[in-house]
Amino acid sequence: MWRPKPVIRDAKCSLLHENRVTEFKMHTTVSIDELPHHCEMIDKGKVVRTRQPLSKTICAFLNTAGGKIYVGIDDKGFFRGTLMNGMLLDHLLLSLDATMKRFNPRPADGAITVEIFPVVPATGRFSDDELRNMEILPYPEQTVHILHGSCKPCRDALHLGASTVIVLIHVKKLDDCIYSNEEGLTYERTHGGNRLLTVDKLRQRLQARLGDEGFGAIDQALAYKGDQLKIVA
């Protein structure tokens, strides 16, 4: 049976660094709807998030050069892993699919793919139980996932057991579309992280596609909500 190559728990990931095409995360929250309430607060009248959903980085990668999100590697580059079993993996894949349907436009099939890598003890030695835990455990059939807020069936499923893994989300840039995420916001990737596309940057990119006669279409496609730019068409 094929097994993905494992990584060593708490080892330093010396060959990877966060940059224009690489992002490290320690959570599997895909969309804004799944953010826990304690991760949002109001500061001087504005919403401040202590956790950013994966969709923000996916959107930025789609609008730049593609990239990879490593869930289970911390900001300092250490392999920590995240708990995963069959039910949690199913939830992650369903949430990714549901969130991509809310992108405008929807990314093409094959633009987003997922790989799983087991995280193993530093000794590199495994008991029979540990070897079995390297595989994603099954889950009860006919499970209903909750994709808005906390998913109680997934929380309850942790008692079935879970493996510590690295989740690798591949984001491929397959076209020249300008994507907005489930909030209607448009991001691009920089070496320092994700940033909202400015009006001028959006105009430049849209004009390159539409030509000089496209300014009317550009104005119709852009709108503001508060101080945030959104694509509405």
Side-chain angles (χ1 to χ4, degrees):
M1 179 184 296
W2 176 84
R3 293 181 188 274
K5 184 176 180 181
V7 297
I8 305 300
R9 182 182 294 121
D10 297 332
K12 175 73 172 179
C13 182
S14 58
L15 298 179
L16 289 175
H17 306 278
E18 287 190 297
N19 53 35
R20 194 166 182 257
V21 294
T22 305
E23 175 91 337
F24 299 155
K25 291 290 187 185
M26 283 299 299
H27 66 82
T28 57
T29 303
V30 175
S31 76
I32 187 67
D33 301 310
E34 294 181 315
L35 277 180
H37 293 302
H38 67 266
C39 293
E40 289 188 328
M41 61 188 71
I42 304 296
D43 182 27
K44 297 179 180 179
K46 291 188 176 182
V47 177
V48 177
R49 296 170 184 160
T50 58
R51 176 188 298 182
Q52 298 297 331
L54 302 181
S55 60
K56 182 176 178 179
T57 300
I58 291 173
C59 179
F61 281 158
L62 287 170
N63 285 326
T64 312
K68 298 178 180 180
I69 304 173
Y70 293 84
V71 179
I73 301 181
D74 67 18
D75 289 338
K76 295 182 179 180
F78 287 91
F79 291 112
R80 305 302 187 189
T82 186
L83 290 177
M84 187 65 61
N85 57 25
M87 188 164 180
L88 294 172
L89 178 59
D90 191 51
H91 181 102
L92 173 64
L93 297 177
L94 284 172
S95 184
L96 280 169
D97 183 65
T99 304
M100 293 307 101
K101 289 178 180 177
R102 297 168 62 192
F103 272 40
N104 183 22
R106 178 180 177 177
D109 292 343
I112 314 296
T113 56
V114 175
E115 283 188 89
I116 303 293
F117 297 88
V119 177
V120 299
T123 61
R125 299 176 181 177
F126 321 108
S127 66
D128 290 340
D129 288 340
E130 287 172 329
L131 283 172
R132 281 192 292 271
N133 284 340
M134 287 171 62
E135 301 195 16
I136 300 298
L137 301 174
Y139 65 97
E141 296 181 358
Q142 298 181 341
T143 298
V144 177
H145 290 279
I146 301 170
L147 299 181
H148 298 275
S150 179
C151 182
K152 186 177 185 301
C154 286
R155 294 200 313 271
D156 294 343
L158 286 173
H159 78 274
L160 299 174
S163 306
T164 302
V165 303
I166 301 294
V167 179
L168 172 55
I169 301 174
H170 297 266
V171 181
K172 299 178 182 178
K173 183 175 177 60
L174 300 178
D175 51 46
D176 292 326
C177 291
I178 300 174
Y179 291 89
S180 56
N181 67 0
E182 75 276 17
E183 295 183 273
L185 301 176
T186 302
Y187 293 92
E188 66 178 345
R189 186 70 178 179
T190 69
H191 288 285
N194 309 315
R195 71 180 176 194
L196 278 169
L197 277 171
T198 63
V199 176
D200 289 340
K201 197 71 173 285
L202 275 170
R203 285 181 177 275
Q204 290 172 9
R205 295 182 65 167
L206 287 169
Q207 186 185 4
R209 293 169 53 192
L210 299 175
D212 292 338
E213 297 180 356
F215 281 110
I218 291 172
D219 290 334
Q220 292 178 8
L222 302 180
Y224 281 97
K225 185 176 182 180
D227 60 350
Q228 293 182 318
L229 178 69
K230 294 194 175 188
I231 293 181
V232 296

